[in-house]
Amino acid sequence: MRTANPLLHTPERPLPRHVAIIGAGTIGPDIGYYLKSALPDIRLTLVDVSEEALERALQRCRDYAQKAVARGKMSAQQAAAVCANIGGTLDYGMLADCDWVIEAATENLALKRRIFAQVEAVVGRGTLITSNTSSLPAERIFSELKNKARATVTHFFAPAWRNPAVEVIDWSEADPAVIDYLRWLFCVTGKVPLLTSDAVCFMLDRIFDNWCNESALLLEHASAAEVDSVAAEFVHAGPFFVLNLARGNPIITETNTLQAQEEGAHYRPAPVFRSVDSWLTVAPGKRVQVAPDIAATVRDRLLGVLFSQTVDILDRHIGEAADLELGCVSALGFRKGPLELMRELGEAETGRILSRFALDRPGMPVPGRAFAAYLDFWRHVLVDEVDGVKIITLRRPDAMNALHDGLTDEVLAVIRRFESDPAVSGFVITGYGARAFCAGADIGRFPSMLGDADAATQYARDCSRLLVHLDAMKKPVVAALNGMALGGGLELVMRCHGVVALEGAWMQLPEITLGIVPGIGAMVVPYRRWPQAGAAFHGMLRQAERLGARQAHELGVVDALANDVSDLISKAVARVRTLGQRAPAGAPGKVALAPLPPVQANAASGQPLSREIMDILEKTIVAAAGAPSMDEALEIGYRAFGASACTAAAREGIGAFLEGRKPDFSTSL
């Protein structure tokens, strides 16, 4: 059975040892650099018909690594490992022992078929074969392969070494185990695999290509700069700017011609693409004045094509709603996903835009279901089931799974839906990917509350709605730490009834480095649940010290350690079983505290801290420990958060965070 979270799949084959990429042009070397950065021990072979192209590709990989070192993203030792064992060749015979061959050549069906015939002639039967095509269906590309089951499309997005999205095409002749393995492999290596069906242009290129084509058709009403200026409401870079950047005019001509052949003349590419090399437009962040009537026309048409393609993708099951939303934002640079835009505009306005678009562009897709049906899906969580336990995966990979209102409400909604189901024995909460369980909480509306103690206190109460629900549950909830748990993410962990962690996971409460105190239980709960670890929590709260999973296990905070994600989930499910109906609660009355010895107002990293905030924090820890009930102790914490919001340190810390600089607490020490 296919899992929603790719990492819950147990792969039948190991990580690749030798990968070949055919095509040393633009995207091939970028795919290679991504793979070597994620799996530096693999052997990478680049294949091309040109020695010069190969040398340029190899130099590009070296340049990327040098830039990463210069920017502090990679050590010199790591860069050396990334650049080692990379070679180029003109000889397909060098691919004989490859575990995976990726084709990234020109979008030409006959060429791709010739390449795959040569590949299949030299590689073993177990070698994976994938194409990076953005538009050609797998059924056409691999039609002449003898062993089609090990082949599919893996469509990367530029720049492939950094863009997290990759479409994995689930076509009729692919072995399901191959599809599941590739999803697992991409997730392990930091990508976000998006499963799509084998339609022409798949999912995201349908959005992008038709967005660009519609923009070109709008040139009879507006200039390229005007279209990009209107589009800036929805995307970080306008369609014509992106086309210039990617030299994309021929691509749109090719892909929309393909769609027109398959699905109708309404997809024909704008003729202007054949006669223009580049566009006179504006850079991201720049705009030209656009007359209101022209702006309204452009806006309606751009939203019309976006919504039209969205409903078509969902009605034809080309992709899933949550993947479409995530892909539009992470791969294509939209500020919000199309379904979020539809929800914000509402049914009447969305209907008006789609009706107008249907008149302007006869033949383009229209909704086949009621408006509400398109919006009924989990946006930020994945839900699986293992042996009667619901596995809830926090999926906000662009924010390392940080909490915000939408994610919090979805986790709470999943729990409420299943907590009374007798077939469900409990829940496991884990994070998406291989880096983070949850990297804290988005600042959200908090900056607007600085200086308002009552508003900030209520904000803390509101943000605790999921945690308070966990406190009262009878069925157990276990946190499975697949990576870092920071701030609000760690506060979520503290309210789960059991904790298991990968050996490399770690925890931190960095709030004091922002000039605030943790607001939703971290100054209260750990001292009541794990009094034996009080000294460690003192350091975490007062100086933002990290707590590794091994030490947390020794202190009794973590119940079990795991070697990999499969082991992690197995142990989390087992922990649910042992807890049964005996979900542990914190001490109900007053609790004894480990001494709070004097410390310098410096974080463990050496960053100067605010003495004023440290005083608020220390007094709150003591007062909350002396409270006669958990509820009263939590209320003390909420009020302390409100008090911290009224300090100069909070204004400086939050301001520095938003501006991307280090805070200076010298005026609030």
Side-chain angles (χ1 to χ4, degrees), residues 56 71 111 113 139 149 158 249 348 378 428 440 616 653:
R56 287 194 299 269
R71 294 172 181 171
L111 172 63
R113 285 176 173 171
E139 186 176 15
N249 292 3
W378 304 120
V428 169
I616 291 173

Side-chain angles (χ1 to χ4, degrees), residues 242-256:
V242 175
L243 286 169
N244 283 347
L245 197 65
R247 298 176 183 174
N249 292 3
I251 297 172
I252 304 302
T253 297
E254 180 179 318
T255 56
N256 274 69

Side-chain angles (χ1 to χ4, degrees), residues 302-315:
L302 290 179
L303 286 177
V305 73
L306 178 62
F307 296 162
S308 172
Q309 291 303 303
T310 293
V311 298
D312 188 46
I313 288 165
L314 299 182
D315 286 344

Side-chain angles (χ1 to χ4, degrees), residues 512 517 523 527 538 541-543 593 596-601 611-625 640:
I512 196 165
V517 298
M523 297 182 291
Y527 298 105
H538 287 344
L541 285 161
R542 298 161 84 202
Q543 297 186 292
L593 277 178
L596 278 161
V599 294
Q600 294 295 317
R611 173 55 66 181
E612 181 182 14
I613 295 300
M614 190 173 286
D615 287 344
I616 291 173
L617 188 146
E618 291 172 346
K619 289 175 182 177
T620 302
I621 292 171
V622 173

